């Protein structure tokens, strides 16, 4: 699955995007986030405050409990500050 | 009813006058246009520039969804939104929202609503560049922007 | 605090872009401008033109009073209002209200407030000229304009 | 005292402005309106629905009970329809 990061989350993870093969038991946005944290210190640092993390599935805002099934791209980013 | 919704995400500066002219020219049913322009401030001289990162694709789609929602809530005649990304100097425009309607109440409400949701829902992130090349900090989201959304429920 | 308040009552068309540029050029504290433009509609092709009569002197003074009131209520950085009189064709601008502030909420509220009070308090009267030279009727004041003022008390 | 009229009130009265010497007992905006009505049919027609008449003293909105004392100009007009 394609995983993309933005803003300080991207800086902390160290790459703007990557392909990750999530284990079969990873079925929700929240599961994906927890799996990423297990991948290394840069991920643990990036996701250290889950309340500040927002996510999107295939370019639509997604809640932590949203299922990954069928999605091709998951994005993680901080609260938005546009406008 | 489907109205013209024009959303653009671009690095280039925008021309408010040309956009408003394009919105109203040849239309004699529009009685009111509300144009919101958001500018880059220098924060009392502290800022050299803002840098805006965005999520290509989702930025346009999310703003379009917000515009469609506004068009369902109020009798708008057209909506146009331009949001810039990249480096923006103090005094330059960052975002332009144009809402037209037959009467003023819908035009005000539509532009206000789109700006509110755009602030908290459109995938853009601002980084500050300080004077003298100091390393930039990412701007934190304001609670007041989230609270502002509560006005519309 | 006293802010720049610029009120003009004129027969000539106005240039929204030039007015907004004059408002923001050289200022790096302005983060938001709301520009309201009121246009002459043709009412489904029924109207040839609107003719606006005004009370010279009082029109400028009353709009200025409304602007001062807005500046006391919200942290605005500047206000600019242009209201035309005389014959105005469908598609042409009748009134322009520009409100600037550091943040968007005050700019929206200020422009909205000024338009609401201007509608019911500024001494202007509209007469309709129908297609084919039919004699014009004076436009009746709308209850909704008076009711709209109740939002601000 | 200078009296000015606008919009359909001006059309009905027949002149845009005039000087009127109000009797001493005319002390308020409402008194002035009633005095005008007594001056002729055009005035009676113009002011036939007092609830639709607005007034200003020296270019400031004035209520019916506002005193004329000190004012140099009184204006009568229909509800405003600008903007």
């Amino acid at each position: 699955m394609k995983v993309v990061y933005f803003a300080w989350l991207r800086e902390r993870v160290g790459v703007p995007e990557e392909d990750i093969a999530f284990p079969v038991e990873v079925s929700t946005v929240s599961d994906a986030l927890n799996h990423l944290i297990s991948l290394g210190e840069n991920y643990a640092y990036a996701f250290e405050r889950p309340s500040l993390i927002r996510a999107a599935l295939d370019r639509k805002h997604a809640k932590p409990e949203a299922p990954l099934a069928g999605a091709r791209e998951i994005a993680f980013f901080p609260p938005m500050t546009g406008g | 009813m489907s109205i013209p919704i024009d959303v653009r995400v671009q690095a280039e500066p925008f021309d408010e006058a040309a956009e408003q002219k394009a919105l109203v020219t040849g239309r004699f049913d529009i009685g009111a246009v509300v144009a919101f322009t958001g500018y880059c401030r220098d924060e009392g001289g502290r800022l050299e520039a803002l840098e805006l990162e965005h999520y290509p694709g989702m930025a346009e789609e999310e703003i379009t969804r917000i515009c469609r929602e506004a068009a369902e809530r109020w009798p708008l005649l057209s909506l146009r939104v331009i949001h810039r990304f990249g480096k923006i100097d103090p005094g330059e425009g960052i975002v332009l929202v144009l809402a037209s309607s037959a009467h003023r109440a819908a035009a005000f409400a539509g532009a206000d609503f789109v700006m509110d949701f755009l602030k908290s829902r459109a995938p853009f992130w601002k980084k500050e560049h300080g004077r003298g090349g100091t390393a930039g900090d990412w701007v934190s989201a304001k609670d007041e922007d989230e609270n502002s959304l509560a006005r519309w429920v």
Side-chain angles (χ1 to χ4, degrees), chain A, chain B:
Chain A
M1 191 170 188
K2 186 177 174 187
V3 186
V4 296
Y5 310 101
F6 293 99
W8 52 257
L9 211 66
R10 169 182 54 70
E11 292 177 341
R12 290 183 178 193
V13 170
V15 296
E17 59 178 77
E18 56 190 332
D19 278 301
I20 290 187
F22 289 107
V24 284
E25 67 270 22
V26 167
S27 66
T28 66
V29 167
S30 180
D31 293 345
L33 185 151
N34 286 319
H35 178 75
L36 289 170
I37 287 174
S38 74
L39 294 184
E41 272 190 18
N42 54 329
Y43 293 97
Y45 175 46
F47 292 97
E48 68 183 352
R49 293 180 59 193
S51 68
L52 283 186
I53 310 294
R54 305 287 180 269
L57 284 173
D58 288 343
R59 301 175 174 179
K60 284 188 181 171
H61 289 294
K63 302 205 163 170
E65 62 272 22
L68 303 184
R72 291 166 43 199
E73 179 172 308
I74 186 168
F76 291 102
F77 41 78
M80 288 138 281
T81 55
Chain B
M1 205 190 66
S2 179
I3 63 162
I5 291 175
D6 188 347
V7 173
R8 300 209 296 281
V9 173
Q10 62 187 40
E12 301 73 36
F14 48 77
D15 178 347
E16 298 97 323
E19 300 301 334
Q20 182 152 343
K21 201 168 177 184
L23 202 75
V24 301
T25 297
R27 293 201 66 154
F28 303 103
D29 53 345
I30 291 176
V33 172
V34 170
F36 175 88
T37 313
Y39 292 93
C40 176
R41 296 185 307 266
D42 72 355
E43 306 296 352
R46 189 172 55 78
L47 276 199
E48 173 83 28
L50 279 177
E51 190 169 351
L52 274 109
E53 181 168 329
H54 77 298
Y55 187 172
M58 181 173 169
E60 293 85 342
E61 290 169 18
E62 188 63 25
I63 296 173
T64 303
R65 281 191 281 270
I66 294 167
C67 288
R68 285 210 196 97
E69 170 79 20
E72 275 174 28
R73 287 180 175 231
W74 294 281
L76 299 171
L77 291 170
S78 54
L79 279 165
R80 185 172 289 228
V81 180
I82 302 175
H83 201 305
R84 293 176 64 194
F85 60 84
K87 213 158 183 184
I88 297 177
D89 291 337
E92 288 188 2
I94 300 170
V95 59
L96 174 69
V97 173
L98 292 168
S100 80
S101 181
H103 302 284
R104 75 186 184 288
F108 269 113
D112 196 1
F113 175 92
V114 168
M115 268 310 297
D116 251 17
F117 278 78
L118 189 153
K119 278 254 171 192
S120 309
R121 298 281 181 262
F124 290 87
W125 300 271
K126 288 194 186 103
K127 190 176 202 168
E128 298 186 340
H129 288 271
R131 277 261 172 97
T134 55
D137 274 335
W138 292 96
V139 174
S140 296
K142 287 183 196 153
D143 285 346
E144 68 188 59
D145 287 334
E146 275 292 336
N147 295 342
S148 193
L149 297 185
R151 295 191 293 152
W152 307 107
V153 292

